[in-house]
Amino acid sequence: MAKPSNLPWQPVGPSSSSSSSLPASYSNGQSKVAAWLQESEEMDKCAEELARCQSSLMELSKLLQSLEILQRTQSAPNFTDMQTNCVELSKKEKRLNRRWRTKSVGKDSKFQLQVPLSSAIPPVRLHSSNPNLCAELVDFQVPPPRHADCVEGAGDYIKLQEDFCTIAQKVHCLLRSAFNTVGIEKEKIKQILSDQEQSSQAAQINTLRKSLSQGEQMGIPLTQQASNESRLSMSESVSEFFDAQEVLLSASSSENEASDDESYVSDVSDNISEDNASVTDNVSRQMANGDFVASAFRNGRRICLPAPSPDTSNINLWNILRNNIGKDLSKVSMPVELNEPLNTLQHMCEELEYSELLDKAAETEDPFERMVIVAAFAISGYSSTYYRAGSKPFNPLLGESYECIREDKGFCFFSEQVSHHPPISACHCESKNFTFWQDVRWKNKFWGKSMEILPIGTVNVMLPRFGDHYEWNKVTTCVHNILSGRRWIEHYGEITIRNTKSSACLCKLTFVKGNYWSSNVNEVQGFVMDQEGKVVHRLFGKWHEGLYCGVPPSAKCVWRPGSMPTDYELYYGFTRFAIELNELCPELKDALPPTDARFRPDQRHLEEGNLEMASSEKQRIEDLQRVRRKWNEDNNIRPQPRFFRKVVDANQRERWVSNNTYWDLRKNPGFINMEYTLALW
C-alpha cells in the first residue's frame, strides 16, 4: 500500500533503558526528591486508597465470618438443593395437614379447637391438665421447617456471597490503582533525577564552551584546548543522561505508567538516527512554511472533561426498547443522556491507545514473539470499554470524519463514515513503524435484558520493516442488565490473527464467555503456533487487566493497561487517552475539515454538560440527515466518501481503503476551501 507523502508527524525523542546505578552527581537532586515527596498528591491518593482497602478487607472478614456461621447453621446448601428440599418439606406438610383432626375438649364444649399449621401464628402452649390433647398434638409442638424459611435462608446466603464478591472486586481495583500509582511516582523520581543530570550536563557544556572561546581569543589551537579528560567526562555525562530515560508500554497518553519488570516490552530504546533526524527537519520546515498549521503538536493536553456525565436513573429504557426486541438498534433514536461525548469514528482511534506495542513489534526480529506483541495490541483495544457500559457513542453521520495527530506516539490518524445504511466506518493510520487500517460494519441487537454489538469487518496492520501484513476479526460485545441492575460489558468469541505474507505462524485468541460472578469473566486464552501446528507460545490474561505469555508462575507480562484518571466514574469511565480525543484547541479549528466530529454541536453540548441544548441539537441534526437523504434520493445522487474508496480483495470481499488524499488536501489548499453540497450540521 502506497504511503502519502509529507505526513504531519515527527518521531518520538530519544529514549533508553534506565541505568541500574546512580552517579554521584545525583546527590544534588536529593533535595528535589524530598520536596516532591512532601508535595506529591499522588502518594496521598495512594495512602487514601490503601486505607479504604484496609477498611474493605475488615468488611470482607466480617462477611466471611457471617458466611461461615450461616454455613454451619444451614450447612450452606446450594440454591438448587434448597429448592428440592423445600418441595419435599411442602409435600410432607400437606400429608400432615390431611392427618390433622380436631377433638372436642369436653361434652359441653360448643367449639372446636383447631391449630393451623402456619408460621404466621405462634406455637400453641398446651397445659398439663389436659393430657389427651397433649397426646394428640405432640407431633405439632415443633413444626417442620417451612418453604418460606428455606427460600429466605438461600436468599441470605446468596446476598452474602454477592456482597463478598462486590467488596472483593472493590479491594482488587483499589490495590491495582495503588500499584499503578506507585509505578507512576517511581517514574517521576526517575525523571527528577534525569532532569538533574541534564542540568549538570548543560553546565559542563557551558563551561567547556567558555574555555574554548577564551582559548580562541588567546590564539590557542582548538585541538589543544579539549583535553582527553574533558572529552571523557562529557561522553560519560551524555551516556548517563540517556540511560536515565525509560519508556514503558503500559503508558496511557503522553504519561508513563507502571509496567511489568519481566515484560518482553517493558523497555523501549529508540535512539535518533540520521534518517529520523532528517524527517524531523523536514517536518519542521513544513511547519515553518505554514504547510501544516499548528498540526496539534502540543505538550499539554487536557486531563479532565468540562462536565461530568449526566444522571440517567430517570430514563425508562423499557418504553424505548420494548418494541425492538431482536431488532437492529442502529435506526432507533435514543435520548442524548445515554450517549458519551465521543462517536464511533473516535472509538476507532481509541484502539490505538497502546500503539507502542506496534512500535515494539516493528523492532522484534523473532516472528513468533512479534506475533505475541501483535496479539497484545489486538486485545488492548478492548481494555478501555471496561468502565463504559453505562453509555454509548454517537452514531456518525454519512460523510462525518475525524482526525488525530499524535506526535508523542508518532502516528497520524483519520476516519470517515463511508455508509449510513448499513453503517460502515473506515479508518487509516500512518506511522514510521506501521500502517493500521480497518473498516467495520456495526449491528446492534436488543435481547430484552442485554444488547449485543456485532462487528463485521477486519483489522489490518502492516509492518514495513519485515513486510508483514497482519489481519484479524473482532469479537462480539454484549452489554448486560440494560433495563435494571448494574450494567456490565463482556466481549466473547474468537480472534484469528494471520500474517497474509507468511504462513510461518498463526495466533488464535478466545475471549471466554462467562457471567458477572464467575471466576473466568473477561478471561482471554490463546496460543501462537507454527505452520506445522506446534504451539510455540501460550497466552492468557484478562482483556481489562493484561496479557501474559508462558505458563504460570513463570509467565511474563506482555502488556498491561495504564491506570485510570481521578474520578473516572464521574466522567463516563474515560481513560486519559479518551479524554483527549474530542479536545478542540483554537489552532486546530482552521486546519480541520468542517465534517470533523469535534465540530458536532450535540456532542459538544453533551461534553459541556448542557443537556437541553444537546438534546435539541441531536434532534435537529437527525432531521437534517433525513432531509439530506431524501434530497439525494430525489435527485438520484449517491454520496461518495471523500477520503476512502471501495475495493474487492482476493476473497471477493468489499473493503474500504484510503485514497491517499486526506493529508495532501489538508496541506494544500486546505479543507477550509472545500465545498459541501449540504451541511452535516
Side-chain angles (χ1 to χ4, degrees):
M1 174 175 294
K3 287 188 177 182
S5 59
N6 297 332
L7 291 175
W9 56 263
Q10 62 186 38
V12 184
S15 59
S16 176
S17 58
S18 61
S19 175
S20 58
S21 61
L22 299 176
S25 59
Y26 282 154
S27 59
N28 296 329
Q30 290 180 352
S31 59
K32 288 187 176 182
V33 174
W36 165 81
L37 287 172
Q38 293 177 356
E39 298 175 0
S40 176
E41 297 179 358
E42 293 295 331
M43 293 306 294
D44 293 340
K45 174 187 171 185
C46 182
E48 292 175 2
E49 288 176 344
L50 290 175
R52 289 199 299 269
C53 184
Q54 184 178 7
S55 174
S56 298
L57 286 172
M58 294 176 63
E59 222 175 319
L60 282 177
S61 178
K62 294 178 181 178
L63 281 175
L64 188 60
Q65 292 177 2
S66 300
L67 282 169
E68 291 175 350
I69 293 172
L70 193 59
Q71 189 174 17
R72 285 197 299 268
T73 55
Q74 298 186 4
S75 300
N78 62 43
F79 191 72
T80 304
D81 293 341
M82 278 186 157
Q83 284 182 321
T84 304
N85 293 336
C86 289
V87 170
E88 292 177 355
L89 289 171
S90 297
K91 292 179 179 178
K92 182 177 179 181
E93 205 171 69
K94 291 179 180 178
R95 288 197 300 270
L96 291 172
N97 272 324
R98 285 197 296 269
R99 282 165 36 197
W100 173 261
R101 298 289 184 269
T102 58
K103 294 188 77 175
S104 60
V105 178
K107 286 183 179 181
D108 298 330
S109 297
K110 299 279 181 83
F111 65 92
Q112 291 181 331
L113 176 64
Q114 293 185 353
V115 183
L117 194 62
S118 171
S119 59
I121 299 178
V124 180
R125 299 185 63 181
L126 304 176
H127 200 273
S128 58
S129 62
N130 197 344
N132 292 330
L133 187 58
C134 284
E136 288 290 335
L137 301 178
V138 69
D139 292 336
F140 301 95
Q141 290 180 9
V142 183
R146 304 292 184 258
H147 178 77
D149 295 336
C150 284
V151 174
E152 183 180 357
D156 291 342
Y157 193 76
I158 292 175
K159 181 66 168 58
L160 284 172
Q161 281 183 324
E162 292 178 350
D163 292 344
F164 188 89
C165 293
T166 301
I167 298 176
Q169 188 179 23
K170 179 181 177 182
V171 169
H172 175 263
C173 292
L174 288 171
L175 287 175
R176 187 176 66 176
S177 178
F179 174 79
N180 289 334
T181 301
V182 171
I184 294 171
E185 297 308 301
K186 182 187 77 172
E187 295 306 315
K188 288 183 180 178
I189 292 179
K190 287 184 179 180
Q191 188 61 42
I192 290 174
L193 298 176
S194 174
D195 293 342
Q196 179 68 19
E197 180 59 26
Q198 185 178 7
S199 61
S200 175
Q201 176 200 355
Q204 291 182 10
I205 292 175
N206 290 333
T207 303
L208 185 59
R209 283 176 176 172
K210 288 180 181 179
S211 63
L212 289 175
S213 62
Q214 291 174 0
E216 285 181 350
Q217 294 174 0
M218 298 173 62
I220 301 175
L222 291 179
T223 55
Q224 297 179 12
Q225 295 173 25
S227 64
N228 292 334
E229 182 178 358
S230 298
R231 288 195 297 268
L232 180 60
S233 64
M234 279 190 64
S235 64
E236 288 177 346
S237 176
V238 172
S239 65
E240 289 168 358
F241 167 64
F242 283 115
D243 286 344
Q245 295 189 2
E246 182 178 19
V247 180
L248 303 177
L249 283 187
S250 64
S252 174
S253 179
S254 56
E255 300 182 19
N256 293 336
E257 311 287 352
S259 184
D260 193 85
D261 292 335
E262 297 179 347
S263 171
Y264 285 143
V265 292
S266 60
D267 300 327
V268 178
S269 177
D270 186 18
N271 295 326
I272 294 183
S273 64
E274 293 181 1
D275 293 339
N276 293 341
S278 65
V279 171
T280 305
D281 293 340
N282 186 30
V283 172
S284 299
R285 284 195 298 271
Q286 290 173 350
M287 292 180 64
N289 295 332
D291 292 343
F292 299 109
V293 180
S295 292
F297 289 164
R298 306 166 58 236
N299 292 326
R301 291 184 171 87
R302 68 182 183 183
I303 58 174
C304 184
L305 293 177
S309 53
D311 180 21
T312 59
S313 59
N314 60 339
I315 298 178
N316 191 338
L317 271 177
W318 177 244
N319 290 339
I320 302 172
L321 300 175
R322 61 184 176 183
N323 296 324
N324 296 283
I325 295 178
K327 297 180 181 179
D328 186 356
L329 294 182
S330 61
K331 299 180 181 180
V332 179
S333 180
M334 298 285 186
V336 73
E337 292 91 338
L338 298 178
N339 287 79
E340 62 184 26
L342 290 176
N343 70 10
T344 304
L345 299 177
Q346 293 166 312
H347 267 233
M348 298 176 84
C349 182
E350 199 172 354
E351 295 179 26
L352 289 161
E353 180 172 2
Y354 300 99
S355 61
E356 295 90 348
L357 289 166
L358 296 181
D359 293 328
K360 180 60 180 177
E363 300 172 356
T364 304
E365 297 289 341
D366 184 275
F368 298 103
E369 290 188 7
R370 196 157 62 241
M371 179 66 84
V372 168
I373 299 173
V374 172
F377 172 77
I379 294 171
S380 70
Y382 294 93
S383 63
S384 63
T385 64
Y386 183 66
Y387 299 103
R388 307 272 278 277
S391 57
K392 62 177 285 293
F394 279 85
N395 296 326
L397 306 175
L398 180 62
E400 189 171 347
S401 63
Y402 177 71
E403 167 198 309
C404 182
I405 301 175
R406 295 298 297 248
E407 50 84 21
D408 56 329
K409 292 178 176 291
F411 71 72
C412 45
F413 168 98
F414 67 93
S415 55
E416 184 181 10
Q417 189 73 3
V418 296
S419 174
H420 184 58
H421 287 305
I424 301 176
S425 307
C427 71
H428 186 89
C429 179
E430 289 281 351
S431 165
K432 66 184 179 67
N433 293 323
F434 65 86
T435 303
F436 168 91
W437 73 97
Q438 63 171 318
D439 60 294
V440 182
R441 172 183 174 182
W442 310 93
K443 292 186 66 177
N444 302 325
K445 289 290 184 69
F446 174 58
W447 299 113
K449 292 183 178 180
S450 63
M451 183 178 70
E452 279 188 332
I453 298 100
L454 310 171
I456 303 171
T458 55
V459 184
N460 299 267
V461 167
M462 184 178 290
L463 303 179
R465 178 183 174 187
F466 302 103
D468 292 342
H469 177 188
Y470 297 96
E471 183 181 86
W472 65 88
N473 61 293
K474 290 191 169 186
V475 296
T476 299
T477 298
C478 185
V479 182
H480 297 274
N481 297 337
I482 287 289
L483 300 178
S484 62
R486 181 179 179 181
R487 291 179 195 161
W488 59 284
I489 199 165
E490 181 183 24
H491 306 287
Y492 47 81
E494 289 191 354
I495 290 178
T496 301
I497 306 177
R498 292 183 175 87
N499 184 355
T500 62
K501 300 296 183 180
S502 172
S503 59
C505 58
L506 179 76
C507 178
K508 288 194 174 184
L509 300 170
T510 300
F511 285 64
V512 179
K513 187 174 184 179
N515 56 66
Y516 189 76
W517 299 113
S518 65
S519 60
N520 63 347
V521 65
N522 302 340
E523 191 172 307
V524 179
Q525 302 169 356
F527 55 85
V528 175
M529 61 182 180
D530 59 19
Q531 56 188 353
E532 297 177 355
K534 179 182 177 182
V535 175
V536 180
H537 294 296
R538 292 193 179 275
L539 306 172
F540 67 94
K542 294 193 174 185
W543 52 260
H544 71 297
E545 291 183 353
L547 182 70
Y548 296 82
C549 180
V551 179
S554 60
K556 295 182 178 181
C557 180
V558 184
W559 160 80
R560 175 186 296 131
S563 63
M564 296 294 292
T566 305
D567 297 330
Y568 63 89
E569 306 97 330
L570 302 178
Y571 295 91
Y572 303 93
F574 279 9
T575 63
R576 289 181 172 87
F577 188 75
I579 288 173
E580 300 165 358
L581 289 177
N582 200 47
E583 183 179 11
L584 180 60
C585 48
E587 58 267 26
L588 269 178
K589 290 184 178 180
D590 294 334
L592 295 173
T595 55
D596 194 278
R598 293 179 182 89
F599 296 125
R600 183 164 174 167
D602 52 351
Q603 186 171 307
R604 182 63 60 186
H605 285 307
L606 176 62
E607 182 183 89
E608 295 170 351
N610 191 340
L611 291 182
E612 185 176 349
M613 285 297 297
S615 181
S616 63
E617 283 295 307
K618 182 174 182 290
Q619 184 63 47
R620 183 184 66 83
I621 290 173
E622 290 174 352
D623 293 341
L624 183 61
Q625 181 176 227
R626 283 187 282 269
V627 171
R628 183 168 56 252
R629 185 178 182 184
K630 187 178 185 304
W631 186 87
N632 289 332
E633 291 175 351
D634 293 343
N635 292 274
N636 198 24
I637 295 176
R638 293 191 62 183
Q640 297 298 320
R642 288 188 174 273
F643 312 119
F644 289 86
R645 59 187 175 89
K646 185 188 295 186
V647 297
V648 179
D649 63 12
N651 297 320
Q652 300 302 310
R653 292 176 299 184
E654 289 186 351
R655 302 287 183 87
W656 290 91
V657 298
S658 169
N659 58 16
N660 296 332
T661 62
Y662 186 89
W663 302 114
D664 290 335
L665 289 172
R666 189 185 195 275
K667 180 181 65 173
N668 186 20
F671 297 119
I672 196 171
N673 298 322
M674 294 180 65
E675 295 182 0
Y676 291 84
T677 306
L678 286 175
L680 293 184
W681 40 72

